[in-house]
Amino acid sequence: MSAKHHVEMFLSEEKVDKRIKEMGEQISRDYAGKNVHLICVLKGGSFFMCELAKRITIPVTLDFMSVSSYGGGTESSGVIRIVKDLDEPLEGKDVIIVEDIIDSGRTLKHLMKLLESRKPASLRLCTLLDKPDRRVVDVNVDYTGFAIPDEFVVGYGLDYDQMYRNLPYIGIVKFD
Ligand code: IMP
Ligand code: MG
């Protein structure tokens, strides 16, 4: 059971879509003449990856993986497990990990190390949201949609107890 709460609008659908369009254009410029291989971290990254991929104008391939670092609550446990691995090898590819949010950075630190060992030509990190104040371990973020304050957010793929992923905007969970 989740605690009594409500969701307040934080970043509107228009704002988020506009920013994703800019990020897609930036990636298309940075990787001009190449193909880019996007890796979606499920489930949260899926909404962002679909929108981002549509805004990239160079050839794109996609793959999905699922790692777990959270229980039902709002705090990272620091325990990371691969729930679903990638279907394709990464060797020689220009890879971008697409995440919904970077919080403590623990998940990404672990994931970057793992994917680096599969010998991609390059490996970058793209996140829709970043909470820099919450960082516990160092991670280098190449593309950030929005840097946000330390609040628990939902929508655009992000959940609270598996709810609200389908909101077309980013909201803040307020506990009553
Ligand atoms: P980290 O390992 O602490 O950086 O946790 C990253 C993961 O925690 C994200 O991919 C999300 O799944 C989840 N997470 C962190 N902050 C939030 C939030 O504000 N709302 C929803 N999920 C979050
Ligand atoms: Mg996630």
Side-chain angles (χ1 to χ4, degrees):
M1 261 284 282
S2 41
K4 190 152 168 34
H5 66 279
H6 66 280
V7 176
E8 280 175 13
M9 158 83 79
F10 177 54
L11 296 168
S12 70
E13 183 171 5
E14 291 71 27
K15 260 195 193 152
V16 175
D17 288 349
K18 180 170 176 279
R19 183 70 188 118
I20 295 175
K21 184 163 184 280
E22 289 168 1
M23 295 173 88
E25 288 165 357
Q26 175 81 52
I27 289 170
S28 306
R29 278 196 299 275
D30 292 355
Y31 289 81
K34 295 180 183 172
N35 295 8
V36 73
H37 189 61
L38 302 182
I39 291 178
C40 171
V41 184
L42 294 168
K43 304 169 191 163
S46 58
F47 288 68
F48 174 43
M49 179 161 96
C50 291
E51 290 305 310
L52 182 69
K54 288 194 285 183
R55 302 302 186 178
I56 295 176
T57 52
I58 55 169
V60 171
T61 51
L62 310 173
D63 206 347
F64 297 85
M65 88 185 282
S66 179
V67 299
S68 84
S69 64
Y70 261 65
T74 60
E75 279 290 313
S76 180
S77 64
V79 180
I80 289 143
R81 188 168 60 93
I82 294 188
V83 178
K84 181 217 171 294
D85 207 339
L86 298 168
D87 292 336
E88 319 279 345
L90 297 184
E91 197 167 344
K93 291 179 183 157
D94 290 301
V95 175
I96 304 180
I97 302 175
V98 180
E99 255 288 20
D100 50 0
I101 190 163
I102 309 198
D103 186 31
S104 71
R106 287 191 186 100
T107 312
L108 262 295
K109 182 91 179 173
H110 177 92
L111 199 59
M112 296 286 279
K113 214 172 124 199
L114 177 84
L115 299 186
E116 198 68 75
S117 74
R118 297 181 186 183
K119 309 261 185 300
S122 66
L123 181 63
R124 283 187 177 176
L125 177 57
C126 176
T127 187
L128 180 59
L129 304 173
D130 187 3
K131 290 194 226 174
D133 298 345
R134 296 262 307 167
R135 199 72 91 255
V136 174
V137 296
D138 238 9
V139 279
N140 184 38
V141 188
D142 300 285
Y143 302 98
T144 303
F146 301 91
I148 63 166
D150 180 12
E151 299 272 8
F152 198 79
V153 290
V154 290
Y156 232 99
L158 289 148
D159 73 299
Y160 171 51
D161 272 356
Q162 298 302 323
M163 294 183 298
Y164 305 122
R165 292 192 195 273
N166 59 315
L167 295 180
Y169 56 86
I170 304 288
I172 293 182
V173 177
K174 297 282 184 187
F175 295 95
D176 304 324

